[in-house]
Amino acid sequence: MLFDMDGTLVDSEKLWDVALQELAAVYGGVLSAAARRAIIGTSMADAMRILHDDLGQPHRDPQASAAWIDARILELFRTGLRWRPGALALLRAVRTAGIPTALVTSSGRPLVEVALDTLGRDSFDVVVCGDEVDAAKPHPEPYLTAARLLGVPIGRCVAIEDSPTGVASALASGAAVLAVPAEVPLGPLDGVHQLDSLTSADLELLAALLGEPPVDA
């Protein structure tokens, strides 16, 4: 099992909203709704490029902006991180069943370390962060890396995602994909099973996505 983090397991996109809009205000502007949607699921470098371009300030130093966001989002994660509906129950069911599990996120390691205080450090056999791969989502490398570290063929993995960027990464990797849109709607996509909420997901569904008999919990 390969889990995305932001918007999939935890309702953190609203916290990113706060940090991004605060930074835009520091720069004397307002981040547009279109730019905010485009940022969801991207790497920090891409996010800062989108923000700067949206504000008409492409000259801004992306590293300085990223450092500002990192500091602010760490504060917000420590106090306001909440589970997405059904996410904790599904994660517990997967772990109870002994299924190899990875967290595959575009967020950097320092932020993920804070999030793991909520998610549980024993909830994952492997954690792949956005600053630990050469190519971030939508490239398939994050998911391919997670499967390799788990020692499981990518074709035997289910990836759970919420964003177009993450779904593209998971699809390109060859994993079975379960999408639970959060902030950005997803149109019908070949090879992607969609749910409104993880409250509808269980081990039987995950097994079915791989064409396997149900896993006994």
Side-chain angles (χ1 to χ4, degrees), residues 146-182:
R148 175 176 54 80
L149 292 173
L150 288 175
V152 179
I154 191 64
R156 309 309 302 161
C157 296
V158 177
I160 303 182
E161 273 283 356
D162 72 299
S163 71
T165 300
V167 167
S169 174
L171 273 177
S173 75
V177 183
L178 173 60
V180 187

Side-chain angles (χ1 to χ4, degrees), residues 36-190:
R36 177 64 188 102
R37 287 193 297 270
I39 285 172
I40 293 174
T42 63
S43 67
M44 181 66 84
D46 286 341
M48 294 304 93
R49 176 185 54 78
I50 293 168
L51 183 145
H52 295 161
D53 288 348
D54 188 59
L55 297 177
Q57 301 176 25
H59 61 279
R60 291 282 183 185
D61 180 358
Q63 293 184 339
S65 295
W68 194 100
I69 289 290
D70 281 341
R72 183 66 177 116
I73 203 71
L74 279 170
E75 295 175 352
L76 295 169
F77 264 52
R78 289 190 178 101
T79 58
L81 203 56
R82 300 290 182 269
W83 288 93
R84 293 283 297 161
L88 177 57
L90 180 62
L91 183 58
R92 283 178 172 170
V94 166
R95 296 305 280 168
T96 298
I99 299 170
T101 308
L103 184 68
V104 187
T105 174
S106 294
S107 293
R109 174 62 67 170
L111 183 60
V112 174
E113 285 299 319
V114 174
L116 286 171
D117 290 337
T118 295
L119 296 171
R121 296 175 191 281
D122 59 350
S123 295
F124 309 97
D125 300 297
V126 167
V127 176
V128 177
C129 301
D131 57 354
E132 297 172 342
V133 292
D134 292 329
K137 301 175 187 178
H139 194 280
E141 183 183 346
Y143 281 107
L144 292 172
T145 300
R148 175 176 54 80
L149 292 173
L150 288 175
V152 179
I154 191 64
R156 309 309 302 161
C157 296
V158 177
I160 303 182
E161 273 283 356
D162 72 299
S163 71
T165 300
V167 167
S169 174
L171 273 177
S173 75
V177 183
L178 173 60
V180 187
E183 303 297 326
V184 179
L186 293 171
L189 293 168
D190 290 340

